[in-house]
Structures are given as C-alpha cells and as structure tokens.
PDB file of all heavy atoms in Angstrom:
ATOM      1  N   GLY A   1     -36.666 -12.161  25.771  1.00 63.00           N
ATOM      2  CA  GLY A   1     -37.198 -13.227  26.598  1.00 63.00           C
ATOM      3  C   GLY A   1     -37.597 -12.666  27.943  1.00 63.00           C
ATOM      4  O   GLY A   1     -36.999 -11.715  28.430  1.00 63.00           O
ATOM      5  N   ALA A   2     -38.619 -13.226  28.508  1.00 64.00           N
ATOM      6  CA  ALA A   2     -39.096 -12.759  29.805  1.00 64.00           C
ATOM      7  C   ALA A   2     -38.407 -13.533  30.917  1.00 64.00           C
ATOM      8  O   ALA A   2     -38.238 -14.738  30.820  1.00 64.00           O
ATOM      9  CB  ALA A   2     -40.603 -12.936  29.911  1.00 64.00           C
ATOM     10  N   VAL A   3     -38.004 -12.838  31.966  1.00 60.00           N
ATOM     11  CA  VAL A   3     -37.441 -13.490  33.140  1.00 60.00           C
ATOM     12  C   VAL A   3     -38.596 -13.755  34.087  1.00 60.00           C
ATOM     13  O   VAL A   3     -39.317 -12.852  34.476  1.00 60.00           O
ATOM     14  CB  VAL A   3     -36.368 -12.607  33.814  1.00 60.00           C
ATOM     15  CG1 VAL A   3     -35.888 -13.251  35.098  1.00 60.00           C
ATOM     16  CG2 VAL A   3     -35.213 -12.379  32.871  1.00 60.00           C
ATOM     17  N   THR A   4     -38.787 -15.030  34.420  1.00 62.00           N
ATOM     18  CA  THR A   4     -39.865 -15.410  35.326  1.00 62.00           C
ATOM     19  C   THR A   4     -39.262 -16.018  36.577  1.00 62.00           C
ATOM     20  O   THR A   4     -38.071 -16.239  36.668  1.00 62.00           O
ATOM     21  CB  THR A   4     -40.803 -16.427  34.641  1.00 62.00           C
ATOM     22  OG1 THR A   4     -40.041 -17.580  34.297  1.00 62.00           O
ATOM     23  CG2 THR A   4     -41.438 -15.829  33.388  1.00 62.00           C
ATOM     24  N   SER A   5     -40.086 -16.309  37.536  1.00 58.00           N
ATOM     25  CA  SER A   5     -39.628 -16.878  38.796  1.00 58.00           C
ATOM     26  C   SER A   5     -38.776 -18.114  38.536  1.00 58.00           C
ATOM     27  O   SER A   5     -39.136 -18.976  37.738  1.00 58.00           O
ATOM     28  CB  SER A   5     -40.831 -17.256  39.656  1.00 58.00           C
ATOM     29  OG  SER A   5     -40.399 -17.861  40.852  1.00 58.00           O
ATOM     30  N   GLY A   6     -37.626 -18.194  39.165  1.00 56.00           N
ATOM     31  CA  GLY A   6     -36.757 -19.351  39.034  1.00 56.00           C
ATOM     32  C   GLY A   6     -35.712 -19.198  37.933  1.00 56.00           C
ATOM     33  O   GLY A   6     -34.886 -20.073  37.764  1.00 56.00           O
ATOM     34  N   THR A   7     -35.747 -18.117  37.183  1.00 54.00           N
ATOM     35  CA  THR A   7     -34.734 -17.872  36.160  1.00 54.00           C
ATOM     36  C   THR A   7     -33.992 -16.596  36.524  1.00 54.00           C
ATOM     37  O   THR A   7     -34.442 -15.815  37.346  1.00 54.00           O
ATOM     38  CB  THR A   7     -35.359 -17.717  34.755  1.00 54.00           C
ATOM     39  OG1 THR A   7     -36.209 -16.586  34.769  1.00 54.00           O
ATOM     40  CG2 THR A   7     -36.131 -18.952  34.359  1.00 54.00           C
ATOM     41  N   TYR A   8     -32.846 -16.392  35.897  1.00 57.00           N
ATOM     42  CA  TYR A   8     -32.082 -15.226  36.274  1.00 57.00           C
ATOM     43  C   TYR A   8     -31.608 -14.392  35.109  1.00 57.00           C
ATOM     44  O   TYR A   8     -30.977 -13.361  35.307  1.00 57.00           O
ATOM     45  CB  TYR A   8     -30.887 -15.617  37.154  1.00 57.00           C
ATOM     46  CG  TYR A   8     -29.894 -16.517  36.460  1.00 57.00           C
ATOM     47  CD1 TYR A   8     -28.820 -15.982  35.761  1.00 57.00           C
ATOM     48  CD2 TYR A   8     -30.032 -17.893  36.485  1.00 57.00           C
ATOM     49  CE1 TYR A   8     -27.915 -16.803  35.116  1.00 57.00           C
ATOM     50  CE2 TYR A   8     -29.131 -18.709  35.845  1.00 57.00           C
ATOM     51  CZ  TYR A   8     -28.070 -18.157  35.168  1.00 57.00           C
ATOM     52  OH  TYR A   8     -27.175 -18.965  34.533  1.00 57.00           O
ATOM     53  N   ALA A   9     -31.857 -14.766  33.891  1.00 59.00           N
ATOM     54  CA  ALA A   9     -31.381 -13.966  32.771  1.00 59.00           C
ATOM     55  C   ALA A   9     -32.273 -14.152  31.559  1.00 59.00           C
ATOM     56  O   ALA A   9     -32.652 -15.264  31.229  1.00 59.00           O
ATOM     57  CB  ALA A   9     -29.950 -14.356  32.409  1.00 59.00           C
ATOM     58  N   ALA A  10     -32.626 -13.040  30.913  1.00 60.00           N
ATOM     59  CA  ALA A  10     -33.349 -13.124  29.656  1.00 60.00           C
ATOM     60  C   ALA A  10     -32.365 -13.370  28.523  1.00 60.00           C
ATOM     61  O   ALA A  10     -32.702 -13.958  27.519  1.00 60.00           O
ATOM     62  CB  ALA A  10     -34.133 -11.839  29.416  1.00 60.00           C
ATOM     63  N   LEU A  11     -31.142 -12.927  28.685  1.00 64.00           N
ATOM     64  CA  LEU A  11     -30.087 -13.151  27.707  1.00 64.00           C
ATOM     65  C   LEU A  11     -28.819 -13.476  28.472  1.00 64.00           C
ATOM     66  O   LEU A  11     -28.424 -12.742  29.361  1.00 64.00           O
ATOM     67  CB  LEU A  11     -29.875 -11.901  26.847  1.00 64.00           C
ATOM     68  CG  LEU A  11     -28.762 -11.954  25.806  1.00 64.00           C
ATOM     69  CD1 LEU A  11     -29.052 -13.038  24.773  1.00 64.00           C
ATOM     70  CD2 LEU A  11     -28.625 -10.610  25.118  1.00 64.00           C
ATOM     71  N   LYS A  12     -28.199 -14.581  28.137  1.00 65.00           N
ATOM     72  CA  LYS A  12     -27.004 -15.016  28.855  1.00 65.00           C
ATOM     73  C   LYS A  12     -25.970 -15.471  27.854  1.00 65.00           C
ATOM     74  O   LYS A  12     -26.282 -16.161  26.900  1.00 65.00           O
ATOM     75  CB  LYS A  12     -27.337 -16.172  29.799  1.00 65.00           C
ATOM     76  CG  LYS A  12     -26.127 -16.724  30.529  1.00 65.00           C
ATOM     77  CD  LYS A  12     -26.482 -17.949  31.359  1.00 65.00           C
ATOM     78  CE  LYS A  12     -25.233 -18.519  31.999  1.00 65.00           C
ATOM     79  NZ  LYS A  12     -25.480 -19.781  32.660  1.00 65.00           N
ATOM     80  N   GLY A  13     -24.746 -15.078  28.081  1.00 67.00           N
ATOM     81  CA  GLY A  13     -23.637 -15.563  27.278  1.00 67.00           C
ATOM     82  C   GLY A  13     -22.589 -16.131  28.206  1.00 67.00           C
ATOM     83  O   GLY A  13     -22.232 -15.514  29.207  1.00 67.00           O
ATOM     84  N   THR A  14     -22.087 -17.301  27.923  1.00 68.00           N
ATOM     85  CA  THR A  14     -21.076 -17.942  28.765  1.00 68.00           C
ATOM     86  C   THR A  14     -19.790 -18.077  27.965  1.00 68.00           C
ATOM     87  O   THR A  14     -19.799 -18.555  26.841  1.00 68.00           O
ATOM     88  CB  THR A  14     -21.548 -19.333  29.213  1.00 68.00           C
ATOM     89  OG1 THR A  14     -22.778 -19.188  29.920  1.00 68.00           O
ATOM     90  CG2 THR A  14     -20.520 -19.996  30.115  1.00 68.00           C
ATOM     91  N   ASN A  15     -18.704 -17.631  28.566  1.00 68.00           N
ATOM     92  CA  ASN A  15     -17.403 -17.715  27.929  1.00 68.00           C
ATOM     93  C   ASN A  15     -16.526 -18.627  28.771  1.00 68.00           C
ATOM     94  O   ASN A  15     -16.247 -18.343  29.923  1.00 68.00           O
ATOM     95  CB  ASN A  15     -16.797 -16.312  27.841  1.00 68.00           C
ATOM     96  CG  ASN A  15     -15.439 -16.311  27.184  1.00 68.00           C
ATOM     97  OD1 ASN A  15     -14.906 -17.361  26.854  1.00 68.00           O
ATOM     98  ND2 ASN A  15     -14.875 -15.147  27.006  1.00 68.00           N
ATOM     99  N   THR A  16     -16.083 -19.730  28.202  1.00 75.00           N
ATOM    100  CA  THR A  16     -15.246 -20.672  28.944  1.00 75.00           C
ATOM    101  C   THR A  16     -13.790 -20.627  28.499  1.00 75.00           C
ATOM    102  O   THR A  16     -12.988 -21.442  28.941  1.00 75.00           O
ATOM    103  CB  THR A  16     -15.790 -22.113  28.782  1.00 75.00           C
ATOM    104  OG1 THR A  16     -15.794 -22.445  27.394  1.00 75.00           O
ATOM    105  CG2 THR A  16     -17.198 -22.234  29.348  1.00 75.00           C
ATOM    106  N   ALA A  17     -13.461 -19.662  27.620  1.00 75.00           N
ATOM    107  CA  ALA A  17     -12.072 -19.537  27.165  1.00 75.00           C
ATOM    108  C   ALA A  17     -11.185 -19.125  28.335  1.00 75.00           C
ATOM    109  O   ALA A  17     -11.585 -18.383  29.219  1.00 75.00           O
ATOM    110  CB  ALA A  17     -11.977 -18.506  26.050  1.00 75.00           C
ATOM    111  N   THR A  18      -9.942 -19.625  28.364  1.00 77.00           N
ATOM    112  CA  THR A  18      -9.012 -19.292  29.444  1.00 77.00           C
ATOM    113  C   THR A  18      -7.915 -18.341  28.996  1.00 77.00           C
ATOM    114  O   THR A  18      -7.066 -17.954  29.793  1.00 77.00           O
ATOM    115  CB  THR A  18      -8.363 -20.581  30.001  1.00 77.00           C
ATOM    116  OG1 THR A  18      -7.701 -21.255  28.934  1.00 77.00           O
ATOM    117  CG2 THR A  18      -9.426 -21.477  30.625  1.00 77.00           C
ATOM    118  N   ALA A  19      -7.932 -17.942  27.723  1.00 76.00           N
ATOM    119  CA  ALA A  19      -6.919 -17.008  27.236  1.00 76.00           C
ATOM    120  C   ALA A  19      -7.479 -16.228  26.051  1.00 76.00           C
ATOM    121  O   ALA A  19      -8.456 -16.631  25.420  1.00 76.00           O
ATOM    122  CB  ALA A  19      -5.657 -17.764  26.813  1.00 76.00           C
ATOM    123  N   GLY A  20      -6.863 -15.114  25.764  1.00 74.00           N
ATOM    124  CA  GLY A  20      -7.256 -14.316  24.610  1.00 74.00           C
ATOM    125  C   GLY A  20      -8.316 -13.285  24.957  1.00 74.00           C
ATOM    126  O   GLY A  20      -8.852 -13.262  26.067  1.00 74.00           O
ATOM    127  N   GLU A  21      -8.603 -12.426  24.000  1.00 72.00           N
ATOM    128  CA  GLU A  21      -9.617 -11.388  24.185  1.00 72.00           C
ATOM    129  C   GLU A  21     -10.972 -11.980  23.802  1.00 72.00           C
ATOM    130  O   GLU A  21     -11.268 -12.201  22.638  1.00 72.00           O
ATOM    131  CB  GLU A  21      -9.317 -10.183  23.297  1.00 72.00           C
ATOM    132  CG  GLU A  21     -10.263  -9.040  23.527  1.00 72.00           C
ATOM    133  CD  GLU A  21      -9.937  -7.839  22.656  1.00 72.00           C
ATOM    134  OE1 GLU A  21      -8.754  -7.599  22.367  1.00 72.00           O
ATOM    135  OE2 GLU A  21     -10.891  -7.168  22.269  1.00 72.00           O
ATOM    136  N   THR A  22     -11.782 -12.299  24.798  1.00 70.00           N
ATOM    137  CA  THR A  22     -13.061 -12.949  24.553  1.00 70.00           C
ATOM    138  C   THR A  22     -14.139 -12.282  25.388  1.00 70.00           C
ATOM    139  O   THR A  22     -13.851 -11.585  26.357  1.00 70.00           O
ATOM    140  CB  THR A  22     -12.995 -14.439  24.891  1.00 70.00           C
ATOM    141  OG1 THR A  22     -12.699 -14.572  26.279  1.00 70.00           O
ATOM    142  CG2 THR A  22     -11.930 -15.154  24.082  1.00 70.00           C
ATOM    143  N   SER A  23     -15.386 -12.525  25.030  1.00 68.00           N
ATOM    144  CA  SER A  23     -16.519 -11.955  25.754  1.00 68.00           C
ATOM    145  C   SER A  23     -17.612 -12.990  25.888  1.00 68.00           C
ATOM    146  O   SER A  23     -17.837 -13.785  24.978  1.00 68.00           O
ATOM    147  CB  SER A  23     -17.097 -10.749  24.998  1.00 68.00           C
ATOM    148  OG  SER A  23     -16.123  -9.755  24.805  1.00 68.00           O
ATOM    149  N   GLY A  24     -18.322 -12.952  26.994  1.00 67.00           N
ATOM    150  CA  GLY A  24     -19.501 -13.790  27.156  1.00 67.00           C
ATOM    151  C   GLY A  24     -20.670 -13.171  26.410  1.00 67.00           C
ATOM    152  O   GLY A  24     -21.366 -13.824  25.663  1.00 67.00           O
ATOM    153  N   VAL A  25     -20.875 -11.884  26.588  1.00 70.00           N
ATOM    154  CA  VAL A  25     -21.875 -11.105  25.864  1.00 70.00           C
ATOM    155  C   VAL A  25     -21.193  -9.821  25.462  1.00 70.00           C
ATOM    156  O   VAL A  25     -20.551  -9.167  26.277  1.00 70.00           O
ATOM    157  CB  VAL A  25     -23.115 -10.794  26.731  1.00 70.00           C
ATOM    158  CG1 VAL A  25     -24.082  -9.885  25.986  1.00 70.00           C
ATOM    159  CG2 VAL A  25     -23.812 -12.074  27.161  1.00 70.00           C
ATOM    160  N   ARG A  26     -21.340  -9.450  24.212  1.00 72.00           N
ATOM    161  CA  ARG A  26     -20.664  -8.251  23.743  1.00 72.00           C
ATOM    162  C   ARG A  26     -21.629  -7.420  22.912  1.00 72.00           C
ATOM    163  O   ARG A  26     -22.404  -7.954  22.137  1.00 72.00           O
ATOM    164  CB  ARG A  26     -19.468  -8.646  22.880  1.00 72.00           C
ATOM    165  CG  ARG A  26     -18.713  -7.473  22.323  1.00 72.00           C
ATOM    166  CD  ARG A  26     -17.544  -7.958  21.517  1.00 72.00           C
ATOM    167  NE  ARG A  26     -16.893  -6.841  20.852  1.00 72.00           N
ATOM    168  CZ  ARG A  26     -15.689  -6.884  20.358  1.00 72.00           C
ATOM    169  NH1 ARG A  26     -14.994  -7.997  20.445  1.00 72.00           N
ATOM    170  NH2 ARG A  26     -15.172  -5.847  19.756  1.00 72.00           N
ATOM    171  N   GLY A  27     -21.594  -6.153  23.105  1.00 74.00           N
ATOM    172  CA  GLY A  27     -22.422  -5.255  22.316  1.00 74.00           C
ATOM    173  C   GLY A  27     -21.572  -4.131  21.779  1.00 74.00           C
ATOM    174  O   GLY A  27     -20.663  -3.657  22.456  1.00 74.00           O
ATOM    175  N   GLU A  28     -21.842  -3.723  20.573  1.00 75.00           N
ATOM    176  CA  GLU A  28     -21.094  -2.632  19.957  1.00 75.00           C
ATOM    177  C   GLU A  28     -22.063  -1.681  19.284  1.00 75.00           C
ATOM    178  O   GLU A  28     -23.121  -2.087  18.824  1.00 75.00           O
ATOM    179  CB  GLU A  28     -20.123  -3.169  18.896  1.00 75.00           C
ATOM    180  CG  GLU A  28     -19.045  -4.059  19.436  1.00 75.00           C
ATOM    181  CD  GLU A  28     -18.126  -4.573  18.345  1.00 75.00           C
ATOM    182  OE1 GLU A  28     -18.271  -4.162  17.179  1.00 75.00           O
ATOM    183  OE2 GLU A  28     -17.270  -5.402  18.663  1.00 75.00           O
ATOM    184  N   SER A  29     -21.688  -0.422  19.238  1.00 73.00           N
ATOM    185  CA  SER A  29     -22.478   0.565  18.517  1.00 73.00           C
ATOM    186  C   SER A  29     -21.531   1.458  17.740  1.00 73.00           C
ATOM    187  O   SER A  29     -20.558   1.960  18.288  1.00 73.00           O
ATOM    188  CB  SER A  29     -23.312   1.409  19.489  1.00 73.00           C
ATOM    189  OG  SER A  29     -23.957   2.449  18.779  1.00 73.00           O
ATOM    190  N   GLY A  30     -21.795   1.657  16.470  1.00 77.00           N
ATOM    191  CA  GLY A  30     -20.989   2.546  15.645  1.00 77.00           C
ATOM    192  C   GLY A  30     -21.474   3.977  15.705  1.00 77.00           C
ATOM    193  O   GLY A  30     -20.834   4.877  15.176  1.00 77.00           O
ATOM    194  N   SER A  31     -22.592   4.221  16.341  1.00 77.00           N
ATOM    195  CA  SER A  31     -23.159   5.563  16.436  1.00 77.00           C
ATOM    196  C   SER A  31     -22.535   6.315  17.603  1.00 77.00           C
ATOM    197  O   SER A  31     -22.375   5.768  18.686  1.00 77.00           O
ATOM    198  CB  SER A  31     -24.670   5.457  16.651  1.00 77.00           C
ATOM    199  OG  SER A  31     -25.204   6.719  17.003  1.00 77.00           O
ATOM    200  N   PRO A  32     -22.166   7.600  17.420  1.00 82.00           N
ATOM    201  CA  PRO A  32     -21.592   8.369  18.532  1.00 82.00           C
ATOM    202  C   PRO A  32     -22.578   8.559  19.683  1.00 82.00           C
ATOM    203  O   PRO A  32     -22.179   8.819  20.806  1.00 82.00           O
ATOM    204  CB  PRO A  32     -21.208   9.709  17.902  1.00 82.00           C
ATOM    205  CG  PRO A  32     -21.923   9.778  16.600  1.00 82.00           C
ATOM    206  CD  PRO A  32     -22.232   8.383  16.190  1.00 82.00           C
ATOM    207  N   SER A  33     -23.868   8.406  19.427  1.00 77.00           N
ATOM    208  CA  SER A  33     -24.841   8.545  20.516  1.00 77.00           C
ATOM    209  C   SER A  33     -25.473   7.196  20.872  1.00 77.00           C
ATOM    210  O   SER A  33     -26.440   7.139  21.612  1.00 77.00           O
ATOM    211  CB  SER A  33     -25.937   9.537  20.120  1.00 77.00           C
ATOM    212  OG  SER A  33     -26.612   9.095  18.961  1.00 77.00           O
ATOM    213  N   GLY A  34     -24.932   6.092  20.334  1.00 73.00           N
ATOM    214  CA  GLY A  34     -25.487   4.766  20.585  1.00 73.00           C
ATOM    215  C   GLY A  34     -24.887   4.121  21.817  1.00 73.00           C
ATOM    216  O   GLY A  34     -23.946   4.635  22.429  1.00 73.00           O
ATOM    217  N   THR A  35     -25.436   3.001  22.197  1.00 73.00           N
ATOM    218  CA  THR A  35     -24.975   2.242  23.349  1.00 73.00           C
ATOM    219  C   THR A  35     -24.679   0.822  22.899  1.00 73.00           C
ATOM    220  O   THR A  35     -25.529   0.185  22.265  1.00 73.00           O
ATOM    221  CB  THR A  35     -26.063   2.217  24.450  1.00 73.00           C
ATOM    222  OG1 THR A  35     -26.397   3.558  24.791  1.00 73.00           O
ATOM    223  CG2 THR A  35     -25.587   1.467  25.675  1.00 73.00           C
ATOM    224  N   GLY A  36     -23.490   0.312  23.230  1.00 72.00           N
ATOM    225  CA  GLY A  36     -23.140  -1.057  22.875  1.00 72.00           C
ATOM    226  C   GLY A  36     -23.924  -2.063  23.682  1.00 72.00           C
ATOM    227  O   GLY A  36     -24.491  -3.004  23.148  1.00 72.00           O
ATOM    228  N   VAL A  37     -23.985  -1.866  24.981  1.00 73.00           N
ATOM    229  CA  VAL A  37     -24.771  -2.721  25.868  1.00 73.00           C
ATOM    230  C   VAL A  37     -25.527  -1.800  26.804  1.00 73.00           C
ATOM    231  O   VAL A  37     -24.958  -0.884  27.384  1.00 73.00           O
ATOM    232  CB  VAL A  37     -23.869  -3.679  26.691  1.00 73.00           C
ATOM    233  CG1 VAL A  37     -24.702  -4.481  27.681  1.00 73.00           C
ATOM    234  CG2 VAL A  37     -23.101  -4.614  25.770  1.00 73.00           C
ATOM    235  N   HIS A  38     -26.818  -2.048  26.951  1.00 70.00           N
ATOM    236  CA  HIS A  38     -27.656  -1.195  27.790  1.00 70.00           C
ATOM    237  C   HIS A  38     -28.464  -2.088  28.710  1.00 70.00           C
ATOM    238  O   HIS A  38     -29.005  -3.099  28.283  1.00 70.00           O
ATOM    239  CB  HIS A  38     -28.606  -0.377  26.903  1.00 70.00           C
ATOM    240  CG  HIS A  38     -29.546   0.492  27.661  1.00 70.00           C
ATOM    241  ND1 HIS A  38     -29.236   1.766  28.039  1.00 70.00           N
ATOM    242  CD2 HIS A  38     -30.803   0.260  28.116  1.00 70.00           C
ATOM    243  CE1 HIS A  38     -30.250   2.294  28.688  1.00 70.00           C
ATOM    244  NE2 HIS A  38     -31.218   1.406  28.750  1.00 70.00           N
ATOM    245  N   GLY A  39     -28.542  -1.745  29.969  1.00 71.00           N
ATOM    246  CA  GLY A  39     -29.339  -2.511  30.914  1.00 71.00           C
ATOM    247  C   GLY A  39     -30.117  -1.583  31.815  1.00 71.00           C
ATOM    248  O   GLY A  39     -29.655  -0.496  32.151  1.00 71.00           O
ATOM    249  N   GLU A  40     -31.301  -1.981  32.202  1.00 70.00           N
ATOM    250  CA  GLU A  40     -32.130  -1.197  33.107  1.00 70.00           C
ATOM    251  C   GLU A  40     -32.683  -2.105  34.185  1.00 70.00           C
ATOM    252  O   GLU A  40     -32.956  -3.274  33.941  1.00 70.00           O
ATOM    253  CB  GLU A  40     -33.287  -0.541  32.355  1.00 70.00           C
ATOM    254  CG  GLU A  40     -32.823   0.484  31.347  1.00 70.00           C
ATOM    255  CD  GLU A  40     -33.983   1.239  30.711  1.00 70.00           C
ATOM    256  OE1 GLU A  40     -35.076   1.270  31.316  1.00 70.00           O
ATOM    257  OE2 GLU A  40     -33.777   1.791  29.635  1.00 70.00           O
ATOM    258  N   ALA A  41     -32.857  -1.554  35.366  1.00 66.00           N
ATOM    259  CA  ALA A  41     -33.455  -2.297  36.471  1.00 66.00           C
ATOM    260  C   ALA A  41     -34.661  -1.515  36.967  1.00 66.00           C
ATOM    261  O   ALA A  41     -34.582  -0.308  37.167  1.00 66.00           O
ATOM    262  CB  ALA A  41     -32.447  -2.485  37.597  1.00 66.00           C
ATOM    263  N   GLY A  42     -35.768  -2.190  37.141  1.00 66.00           N
ATOM    264  CA  GLY A  42     -36.979  -1.515  37.586  1.00 66.00           C
ATOM    265  C   GLY A  42     -37.558  -2.120  38.847  1.00 66.00           C
ATOM    266  O   GLY A  42     -38.672  -1.793  39.215  1.00 66.00           O
ATOM    267  N   ALA A  43     -36.819  -3.009  39.512  1.00 65.00           N
ATOM    268  CA  ALA A  43     -37.329  -3.640  40.735  1.00 65.00           C
ATOM    269  C   ALA A  43     -37.466  -2.597  41.834  1.00 65.00           C
ATOM    270  O   ALA A  43     -36.685  -1.654  41.919  1.00 65.00           O
ATOM    271  CB  ALA A  43     -36.399  -4.752  41.179  1.00 65.00           C
TER     272      ALA A  43
END
C-alpha cells in the first residue's frame, strides 16, 4: 500500500492484548540469510 499525505503506515498491526507473548506485526524468516521484518527509509 502507498503512504500518502495524511496517512502514516502502509502496513499496520495493532495489538490490544494485555498479557502473553503477542505481536502487533510479526515477521519470520526460516532462511539463514533472510529477514523477518525489513524496513527502509528514503526521506
């Protein structure tokens, strides 16, 4: 998704749990050279 003026995330996950092992956004990679979550900034 494209982030345009007035928005702040192309992908958003919200976690409202108050206990336990939880994630809002989670990424995993089984590859030894992979990345579970990758982000870049070009501003």
Side-chain angles (χ1 to χ4, degrees):
V3 175
T4 60
S5 177
T7 63
Y8 63 91
L11 178 62
K12 177 185 176 187
T14 302
N15 180 356
T16 59
T18 58
E21 185 179 327
T22 62
S23 302
V25 175
R26 179 179 174 163
E28 296 179 5
S29 174
S31 169
S33 60
T35 303
V37 176
H38 178 88
E40 295 186 22

